[in-house]
Structure formats: C-alpha cells, structure tokens
Amino acid sequence: MGDIKKVVLAYSGGLDTSIIIQWLKENYDNCEVIAVSGDVGQDSELEGLEEKAIKTGASKLYIEDLNKEFIEEYVFPTIKADAVYESKYLLGTSFARPIIAKRIVEIALKEGADAICHGCTGKGNDQVRFELAIKAFAPDMKIIAPWREWDLKSRDEEIEYAEAHNIPLKITRETNYSKDKNIWHISHEGLDLEDPANEPMYNKEGFLELGVSPEQAPDKPTYVTISFDKGVPVAIDGEKLGSVEIVKKLNQLGGENGIGIVDLVENRLVGMKSRGVYETPGGTILFNAHAGLEELILDRDTAHYKTIVGEKFAELLYTGLWFTPLREAICAFVDKTQENVTGTVKMKLYKGNATVAAKKAPYSLYNEEFATFSKDEVYNQYDAEGFINLWSLPLKIRAIQKQTAEGGAVYNEALERKVLKGSDFVE
C-alpha cells in the first residue's frame, strides 16, 4: 500500500466517510486525503463540513455546486423518459451518483491523486454506480472501497470506531438510519425498516424530513399549474423559474401535502432485495404532470413504445450505466418524442395524492369533435364495420380452419365405425 500517497475521497460527512479519513491514514501509510463533496442539494448536511473534514485529517475539502447541472442534465432527461424503477422508485440516489463521481474524477486528475476512495458498502448499488463512472473517465485509477477491506462489520461498529478516535457524528445508535439526501429526494434504510413486517413510523418526530405524512396534510387540496416546454418544466403558476427553483418550490408544496412517500422492497443490482422509504415530493408532482401532458400529445404507438424505453432507461440508471452509448441513444429517442410536449398541467395535491386536474396543449391530438358522444359531423360510425371486419380477419380464418379440422375428424371417425350411410357424405 506504500505506493498510495494521495487519495481523493468522496466525502459526505456521514458515518462512513467520517471514519474513512482516519482509516485511510492508518492503513495507507499516512497518505494525504483530499475530500470532495458534490453539492446536489444536501443543504444543512453541508454545514460545518470543511471544518469537520480538516479536523479529522483531510488536507483540504472541495464542495462543488452541482445543483443546476444535476437537475438539467440528469433529472430532467429522466422525467422526459418517464423512467421509474420497478414502478415506484424515482431514482433519487441513482442519478446523483454519476454526476458526483464524474466531478471527483476531474478533481483527482487535477490533484494528481493515486487513488479514489468511496464509502459505499459491498452490499449496495452505489459502489457500482461510483466505480463505473470512475472507470468511464479514469480507467487506470486505483479505487479504494474500505467496506470491502476493513474489519468493521456493521454501522454499530463504525460508531464505536468513531467514538474511539474522537470523530464527531450527527447520529446516535437510535437514529442510525442510512440516509441519502439531495434536492430531489431523501431515502431511509436500516433499523426497524429492515423488517418488512414493520410499518414505517411516518409520524415519528424527525423521521420524515421533506414533508408530513398524508394523515397530517391539510384537509383542503392545493392546486398548482406547471408549464412544460418540450418536456421540460419551465414555470409554476405562470411564473417562469429556473430548474432548481422549480424543484424546490414543488418540494415545498408536495411536502406540505404529504406527496411522494414510497415504501418499497426493491431488487438490488447485487442480487438481494432491500427495503427503504423514499420521500420525493416535488419529483412525484413533476412525473405525474409530465405523464399527464404526454397523454394528450403522443400518438398511440409512440406512447406504448416509450413505456418500454422508459423501463430500460430506469434500469440503466439504477445499475450505474449512465455513461454508456445505449443511455445516450435512448435520450436521443426521448428528445425526439418531446418535441411537441408543450403545455400546462394543473395538479391537485391532496393528502398524499398528486393527480392531474386539468391540462391543455397546443399540439394535443385529443379532438373533442371526434371523441364526443354528442352529434358530430366528422366521424362516420358505419366505417367501423369495415375496420372490424378487417381487424378480426385473422380470428375469423382461424375459426374456419378449426371448424373444418373438427368436421374432418368427425367424418373420419364415423367412416371407421361404419355408422354413417352414403347419403351422409359429401364428395
């Protein structure tokens, strides 16, 4: 390990990375550790981070503001693709990892580092997401993953290590949930959530961080109108806002109304199932609004095919394959589908539900004159008969063939038994 003199650490200041600085120095010949934090909207979690990093042994700390790039180049493409993992997870942790890892590589190369270190466990998905991104931009860079090397076996043992080395922590054994927070979401794993038989304690003080439970939400609905331009949200209630401001505003409204709380047992990339609770208030509103607008605009074949593409996009993102030709190709396809996805969607937020109340779009394919149950002058209902005759032709031919085959079987059976008279046969 003596060849490692300088390490760049993906640093969050949480339990894992708080003790890793000390561990690196103990196990890699007192190497220099440069900490890097990608700011993707952790807010208060970044407070005092530089002081803590330096105090625990880092030579310096980079805090990189990635919020705008994160929303516009990672989140919005995912919304446009309608990409949801296993029908419930809005990928909050998944698409934050590639952008952070890419920036860490850039700093590591600039600093002339010998290795990059991360605090991901050997059981999780994040180790894959980080390391695939690192290999995409620095294929020869050594990667140090302490959870795959050290003797610590649990979060309790990590806390004991921190206490023994006087490393300050913001958590206790009682609040030791594994959490990941950014501008898009927060995840909760561990403790009582590890048993799916336990109902999440949404109303427990301090559990939910981005909003309230549906039971605690107001008894009166909140309405908000979102404007989209080519699939991208650009305004709220008629006011043009930047991408970050839009997400923050919808997080506030969604959180107040108990929107976006998901309890999910998901299939991890490494092969096991895991249980977590996700809060994605603004994201849930945006996903539902965008999907509602597409209902007006996309033709049937494109809409149906796009659901297949969206599932694949979510799978690529979840499994760390952001920096791949296939993901880029899918984004190109999705961008083509979004050329006319422009319009406004009025959302109703009420006790955990974000539903489309009204929508309109200049390129809408919905035509009331054709769809109406009232009298119209544009649709000849008699035309449906010919359409049905042609559409059903394969079924009709199959039925005729089946009847013919069954008739022949009766004929042959009767002939063998010699129970039919000649007059019963048709040449």
Side-chain angles (χ1 to χ4, degrees):
M1 296 184 181
D3 58 335
I4 303 296
K5 295 180 174 59
K6 184 184 291 187
V7 178
V8 169
L9 169 65
Y11 184 74
S12 68
L15 175 58
D16 297 321
T17 57
S18 292
I19 68 173
I20 282 176
I21 296 176
Q22 176 66 34
W23 181 87
L24 283 170
K25 288 183 168 294
E26 289 179 356
N27 291 271
Y28 285 86
D29 297 330
N30 199 34
C31 63
E32 179 185 358
V33 179
I34 299 171
V36 179
S37 293
D39 177 5
V40 285
Q42 300 93 314
D43 295 332
S44 61
E45 292 183 5
L46 298 174
E47 295 175 4
L49 210 57
E50 183 173 10
E51 179 183 357
K52 179 178 179 180
I54 301 300
K55 186 176 181 179
T56 53
S59 63
K60 67 175 76 171
L61 170 68
Y62 287 86
I63 298 180
E64 302 293 293
D65 184 357
L66 304 173
N67 283 273
K68 188 172 187 291
E69 181 183 354
F70 174 49
I71 294 299
E72 294 181 1
E73 297 186 22
Y74 294 78
V75 174
F76 283 173
T78 305
I79 293 174
K80 290 193 290 184
D82 300 303
V84 182
Y85 184 68
E86 296 189 340
S87 303
K88 295 175 73 174
Y89 176 38
L90 298 185
L91 298 162
T93 298
S94 304
F95 48 33
R97 296 306 184 237
I99 184 175
I100 293 173
K102 179 173 180 286
R103 186 65 185 122
I104 288 170
V105 170
E106 293 168 351
I107 291 173
L109 294 175
K110 182 182 77 171
E111 289 281 353
D114 303 304
I116 291 174
C117 179
H118 64 74
C120 307
T121 74
K123 289 184 177 181
N125 301 304
D126 277 346
Q127 59 181 334
V128 180
R129 297 164 184 157
F130 267 111
E131 294 187 29
L132 263 62
I134 293 169
K135 292 179 186 298
F137 297 100
D140 297 323
M141 181 70 68
K142 179 175 174 57
I143 298 172
I144 301 174
W147 267 104
R148 303 202 296 254
E149 297 183 25
W150 63 22
D151 296 327
L152 302 176
K153 302 300 181 184
S154 68
R155 289 175 68 82
D156 281 343
E157 290 186 10
E158 286 185 285
I159 293 175
E160 291 173 4
Y161 182 95
E163 292 171 345
H165 292 81
N166 297 313
I167 299 172
L169 300 174
K170 293 182 179 180
I171 63 172
T172 66
R173 286 174 173 80
E174 290 72 32
T175 61
N176 186 22
Y177 287 104
S178 177
K179 297 189 177 188
D180 177 72
K181 181 181 180 181
N182 57 46
I183 190 174
W184 184 250
H185 92 150
I186 185 168
S187 63
H188 311 260
E189 294 179 310
L191 296 181
D192 55 296
L193 296 178
E194 291 187 347
D195 184 353
N198 292 329
E199 180 180 2
M201 296 181 289
Y202 297 140
N203 294 326
K204 179 182 178 181
E205 184 177 355
F207 182 75
L208 295 177
E209 296 190 25
L210 299 184
V212 300
S213 68
E215 294 89 345
Q216 294 174 319
D219 294 328
K220 182 180 179 182
T222 297
Y223 289 90
V224 59
T225 299
I226 304 169
S227 301
F228 290 85
D229 181 29
K230 296 184 178 180
V232 175
V234 294
I236 295 178
D237 292 330
E239 179 185 3
K240 285 189 174 293
L241 296 171
S243 55
V244 174
E245 288 71 29
I246 284 175
V247 175
K248 287 184 175 180
K249 178 64 175 178
L250 293 178
N251 274 341
Q252 174 201 334
L253 295 174
E256 291 170 351
N257 288 277
I259 305 298
I261 302 171
V262 169
D263 179 7
L264 172 63
V265 175
E266 69 196 59
N267 289 293
R268 282 185 179 174
L269 172 59
V270 296
M272 70 186 70
K273 290 183 180 288
S274 65
R275 195 269 189 102
V277 169
Y278 298 99
E279 299 177 62
T280 320
T284 300
I285 297 170
L286 282 174
F287 261 86
N288 292 357
H290 176 263
L293 185 61
E294 282 190 325
E295 288 178 0
L296 289 178
I297 297 163
L298 298 187
D299 63 277
R300 181 184 63 196
D301 287 343
T302 301
H304 290 182
Y305 187 72
K306 189 168 178 288
T307 62
I308 300 171
V309 171
E311 288 181 2
K312 187 61 179 180
F313 189 101
E315 179 185 305
L316 291 174
L317 185 48
Y318 186 85
T319 58
L321 295 170
W322 180 269
F323 298 112
T324 60
L326 179 55
R327 196 278 306 167
E328 294 174 0
I330 289 176
C331 278
F333 164 79
V334 169
D335 284 343
K336 181 65 179 179
T337 70
Q338 301 299 291
E339 289 180 348
N340 290 332
V341 183
T342 296
T344 59
V345 183
K346 184 177 182 180
M347 297 296 294
K348 179 180 180 180
L349 315 179
Y350 183 65
K351 289 192 175 296
N353 295 301
T355 56
V356 175
K359 52 192 174 184
K360 58 182 179 180
Y363 302 106
S364 173
L365 296 181
Y366 179 85
N367 188 308
E368 186 177 356
E369 191 173 7
F370 277 91
T372 182
F373 284 97
S374 301
K375 183 179 179 180
D376 68 79
E377 303 297 333
V378 297
Y379 188 88
N380 185 347
Q381 298 201 28
Y382 180 74
D383 291 342
E385 181 178 344
F387 165 74
I388 293 171
N389 286 338
L390 292 177
W391 188 246
S392 64
L393 188 57
L395 295 174
K396 183 175 181 179
I397 293 173
R398 184 169 182 271
I400 293 171
Q401 187 275 337
K402 184 178 179 182
Q403 290 172 355
T404 302
E406 289 175 350
V410 170
Y411 177 97
N412 291 331
E413 182 181 356
L415 185 62
E416 289 175 4
R417 294 181 181 180
K418 298 181 180 181
V419 295
L420 294 180
K421 297 180 181 180
S423 59
D424 294 320
F425 297 96
V426 179
E427 293 295 335

